[in-house]
């Protein structure tokens, strides 16, 4: 569906194979999201990562 | 002109010195490379396109120039090859893709122009994976390069033709690109030396991008000294001076190293995919060589390889998808499956995910910098062992197995892979040296110090031809 939304036509068999590979990517995305999902990290990000005013 | 060794057994540095002394003719050297191409190319598929006639004409011109007292520097009259994602004027840049079939650039990439100005002679374009990514794909326009140590084995990627071309002595140096280890890995699997400097060192104009925030240009050659000569011809004088160069343009790699610290990245040897026992033993032996050279070795750890891989792959796939989205929409059938399947995954990465990955990259790099504050260099794996069989490669291997090269594309540190032994099946083993950002010279000097005390890197050259093809 993601591909169709972007106007990329991929036959259904190939889509099923890609869904299999997506599980690997999902694990990576989870790791990347988790790494920045603490309250402390969020506050730091809201301040643009700067501790002192420029 | 008579050289000491037959031309096909010379390193780039040896050939350069003989050419300057007029004891080796550039024409003789070029003819020797052409003879090796005739002998080996049908077995190893290193070239995407050959420019033998213009290279030979260039060699004749170089001979005339040098005889007339015009010597342009250490690369004058040296046969080289260019990865087929980097433009050479008048020669197709196909990037191993049917998307690029009709594209013939009208000017040289900035990197190529520098080499040609320095007198290097391009013998042609060297094969790669499609757009420098994915895995060997039989549906692509050219067959995949094969490992010269055993042609049933993988040559690494994506600068596979570059490593194979040098390993076979068909060219004396090659220009490649490195987004996630694409210079260092093929060099490692083919027993060559591969150097990826910091991204800003070498101008990438005229090079097809894969993931612009990770892409760097690098060089592959038979030795670290050869890599240094190729690298110095690509960079601005300020970088040359920082590395160390003599008045004739030769690198100055001899230096006092006593007291310099090398941190062995222990957890990279133990994290999945773990490094095999042969490679561990070879690196342990290399540690003693470095100690003998005067370095002090300590053990350090970096954030887990899986974290580097996650941040790096999310960034790479998102950036590659952004570059290729239009063609994926309008002419997907012109891509091979290996490349397009991989890049299609980028559609599943949201803008927020990309930003998270960039933030994670920054945090990982801060951790690495803290470690590098205590060491001058790092020693890490570049491959877990010998080259796998071509038939054993998995389409999704790049997702399943973290790359040892990618962390230093994320952090932008200079990194060098070099041969440190041979495994049970007789194929090369390798290790990776990493320097602080902006310290390209310290990495090259460490690699040179190692190779002055070992001869692993010279085995292929000394044998005269790849063993598997004897």
């Amino acid at each position: 569906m993601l591909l169709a939304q972007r106007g990329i036509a991929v036959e259904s068999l190939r889509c099923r194979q890609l869904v299999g590979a997506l599980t690997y990517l999902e694990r990576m995305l989870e790791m990347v999201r988790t790494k920045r999902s603490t309250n402390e990290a969020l506050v730091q990000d809201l301040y643009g990562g700067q501790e002192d005013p420029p | 002109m008579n050289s000491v060794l037959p031309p096909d057994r010379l390193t780039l540095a040896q050939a350069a010195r003989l050419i300057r002394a007029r004891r080796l003719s550039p024409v003789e050297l070029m003819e020797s490379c052409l003879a090796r191409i005739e002998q080996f190319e049908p077995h190893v598929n290193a070239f995407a396109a050959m420019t033998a006639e213009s290279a030979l004409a260039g060699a004749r011109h170089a001979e005339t120039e040098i005889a007339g007292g015009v010597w342009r520097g250490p690369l004058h009259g040296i046969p080289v090859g260019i990865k087929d994602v980097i433009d050479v004027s008048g020669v197709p840049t196909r990037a191993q893709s049917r998307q690029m079939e009709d594209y013939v650039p009208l000017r040289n990439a900035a990197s190529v122009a520098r080499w040609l100005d320095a007198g290097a002679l391009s013998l042609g374009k060297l094969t790669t994976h499609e757009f420098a990514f994915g895995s060997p794909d039989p549906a692509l326009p050219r067959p995949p390069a094969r490992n010269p140590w055993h042609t049933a084995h993988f040559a690494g990627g994506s600068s596979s033709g570059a490593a194979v071309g040098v390993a076979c002595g068909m060219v004396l140096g090659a220009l490649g690109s490195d987004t996630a280890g694409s210079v260092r890995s093929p060099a490692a699997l083919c027993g060559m030396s591969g150097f990826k400097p910091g991204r800003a060192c070498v101008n990438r104009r005229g090079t097809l991008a894969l993931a612009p925030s990770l892409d760097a240009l690098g060089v592959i050659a038979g030795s670290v000294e050869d890599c240094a000569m190729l690298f110095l011809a690509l960079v601005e004088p300020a970088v040359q001076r920082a590395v160390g160069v003599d008045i004739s343009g030769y690198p100055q790699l001899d230096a006092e190293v006593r007291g310099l610290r090398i941190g062995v990245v222990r957890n990279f040897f133990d994290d999945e995919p773990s490094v095999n026992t042969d490679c561990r033993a070879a690196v342990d032996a290399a540690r003693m060589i470095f100690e003998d050279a005067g370095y002090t070795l300590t053990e350090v750890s970096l954030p887990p390889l899986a974290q580097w891989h996650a941040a790096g792959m999310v960034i790479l796939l998102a950036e590659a998808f952004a570059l290729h989205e239009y063609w994926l929409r309008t002419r997907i059938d012109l891509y091979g499956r290996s490349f397009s399947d991989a890049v299609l995954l980028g559609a599943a990465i949201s803008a927020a995910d990309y930003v998270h990955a960039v933030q994670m990259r920054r945090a990982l790099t801060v951790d690495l910098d803290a470690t590098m504050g205590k060491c001058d260099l790092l020693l890490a794996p570049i491959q877990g062992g010998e080259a796998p069989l071509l038939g054993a490669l998995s389409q999704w291997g790049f997702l399943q197995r973290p790359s040892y090269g990618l962390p230093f594309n994320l952090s932008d540190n200079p990194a060098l892979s070099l041969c440190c032994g041979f495994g049970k099946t007789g194929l090369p083993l390798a290790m990776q040296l990493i320097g602080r950002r902006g310290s390209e010279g310290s990495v090259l000097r460490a690699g040179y110090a190692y190779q002055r005390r070992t001869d692993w890197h010279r085995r292929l050259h000394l044998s005269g031809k790849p063993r598997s093809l004897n």
Side-chain angles (χ1 to χ4, degrees):
Chain A
M1 195 163 97
L2 271 171
L3 296 176
Q5 279 171 354
R6 287 182 175 270
I8 298 171
V10 175
E11 69 271 25
S12 55
L13 173 63
R14 191 172 172 188
C15 275
R16 283 198 291 277
Q17 291 165 343
L18 285 173
V19 167
L22 265 178
T23 56
Y24 298 115
L25 180 64
E26 280 296 338
R27 269 181 238 148
M28 291 183 199
L29 290 172
E30 199 54 41
M31 198 177 291
V32 166
R33 291 168 189 153
T34 309
K35 183 80 176 171
R36 303 302 299 175
S37 294
T38 64
N39 200 43
E40 184 190 357
L42 176 61
V43 172
Q44 194 185 348
D45 291 347
L46 285 171
Y47 281 102
Q50 294 186 27
E51 290 177 2
D52 296 312
Chain B
M1 298 191 207
N2 291 312
S3 58
V4 178
L5 287 168
D8 66 358
R9 298 192 185 193
L10 294 170
T11 67
L12 191 160
Q14 289 168 330
R17 291 186 175 100
L18 290 168
I19 285 174
R20 190 185 187 193
R22 300 188 207 174
R23 293 172 62 202
L24 173 66
S25 150
V27 176
E28 188 186 353
L29 180 61
M30 185 62 73
E31 285 173 343
S32 138
C33 287
L34 290 170
R36 290 182 75 84
I37 288 171
E38 193 175 343
Q39 186 179 5
F40 296 123
E41 176 57 13
H43 305 282
V44 296
N45 311 319
F47 280 88
M50 261 181 253
T51 51
E53 276 185 31
S54 65
L56 200 49
R60 291 193 194 98
H61 182 64
E63 185 170 282
T64 306
E65 279 188 324
I66 292 164
V70 178
W71 183 73
R72 295 203 229 170
L75 294 194
H76 202 172
I78 298 293
V80 297
I82 311 294
K83 182 176 180 177
D84 197 21
V85 293
I86 306 167
D87 286 352
V88 176
S89 176
V91 184
T93 299
R94 294 200 180 95
Q96 183 65 304
S97 180
R98 288 191 297 275
Q99 299 284 4
M100 300 291 290
E101 276 301 293
D102 301 324
Y103 178 63
V104 180
L106 297 176
R107 66 173 180 160
N108 292 314
S111 51
V112 171
R114 278 190 175 269
W115 269 10
L116 299 185
D117 287 347
L121 304 168
S122 173
L123 255 168
K125 305 299 290 291
L126 298 165
T127 196
T128 174
H129 301 164
E130 188 167 22
F131 288 107
F133 192 46
S135 52
D137 185 336
L140 295 177
R142 296 271 310 148
R146 290 176 174 274
N147 194 307
W149 292 90
H150 195 302
T151 52
H153 288 252
F154 185 39
S158 62
S159 304
S160 37
V164 173
V166 175
C168 290
M170 300 192 286
V171 292
L172 275 68
L175 184 62
S177 62
D178 189 318
T179 304
S182 285
V183 158
R184 290 160 284 158
S185 292
L189 294 180
C190 294
M192 297 293 105
S193 303
F195 181 55
K196 176 203 80 71
R199 265 193 303 286
C201 286
V202 185
N203 188 330
R204 297 194 302 283
R205 181 186 57 72
T207 303
L208 294 174
L210 170 59
S213 83
L214 298 168
D215 294 339
L217 288 174
V219 295
I220 296 178
S223 73
V224 174
E225 185 183 22
D226 293 357
C227 283
M229 290 170 66
L230 292 164
F231 170 64
L232 287 174
L234 290 170
V235 299
E236 298 291 333
V239 179
Q240 293 178 346
R241 284 193 296 276
V243 170
V245 61
D246 70 16
I247 197 161
S248 301
Y250 288 101
Q252 291 181 310
L253 299 176
D254 268 322
E256 177 57 53
V257 299
R258 201 156 298 280
L260 295 181
R261 290 153 303 172
I262 297 180
V264 180
V265 188
R266 175 50 54 200
N267 63 306
F268 276 22
F269 287 89
D270 299 331
D271 286 358
E272 286 297 323
S274 61
V275 172
N276 76 19
T277 51
D278 285 356
C279 196
R280 282 168 191 264
V283 174
D284 284 343
R287 290 173 62 155
M288 287 192 271
I289 302 287
F290 284 116
E291 282 173 342
D292 180 53
Y295 288 96
T296 301
L297 276 89
T298 58
E299 298 220 336
V300 298
S301 65
L302 291 176
L305 205 47
Q307 290 186 12
W308 293 96
H309 191 66
M313 273 300 147
V314 170
I315 290 170
L316 191 159
L317 292 172
E319 292 185 7
F321 180 76
L323 285 172
H324 288 272
E325 182 177 7
Y326 178 72
W327 279 350
L328 287 168
R329 206 163 52 224
T330 57
R331 49 192 216 185
I332 192 169
D333 292 343
L334 291 182
Y335 288 110
R337 281 289 297 270
S338 170
F339 178 82
S340 56
D341 279 358
V343 175
L344 281 171
L345 294 179
I349 298 169
S350 70
D353 291 332
Y354 180 78
V355 171
H356 286 317
V358 170
Q359 288 169 330
M360 186 171 174
R361 173 187 195 171
R362 204 173 298 139
L364 291 168
T365 302
V366 167
D367 281 355
L368 184 142
D369 287 350
T371 302
M372 289 233 68
K374 294 176 275 184
C375 308
D376 300 281
L377 295 153
L378 298 176
L379 176 61
I382 183 64
Q383 287 288 325
E386 296 164 273
L389 286 162
L390 263 171
L393 297 175
S394 138
Q395 182 185 0
W396 301 110
F398 74 95
L399 283 177
Q400 295 162 314
R401 283 186 302 279
S403 150
Y404 299 106
L406 181 54
F408 310 109
N409 294 86
L410 283 162
S411 67
D412 199 24
N413 290 71
L416 170 76
S417 73
L418 62 172
C419 184
C420 59
F422 289 81
K424 286 189 179 65
T425 51
L427 276 76
L429 300 167
M431 60 185 171
Q432 179 174 209
L433 284 167
I434 301 100
R436 292 175 181 161
R437 275 189 295 287
S439 292
E440 278 71 16
S442 71
V443 180
L444 293 167
R445 282 190 288 277
Y448 180 71
Y450 175 79
Q451 289 188 340
R452 286 201 63 181
R453 290 164 176 80
T454 56
D455 69 350
W456 301 116
H457 63 292
R458 302 199 65 221
R459 297 213 168 178
L460 198 60
H461 280 283
L462 290 173
S463 72
K465 56 182 174 179
R467 286 184 305 175
S468 61
L469 302 177
N470 280 342

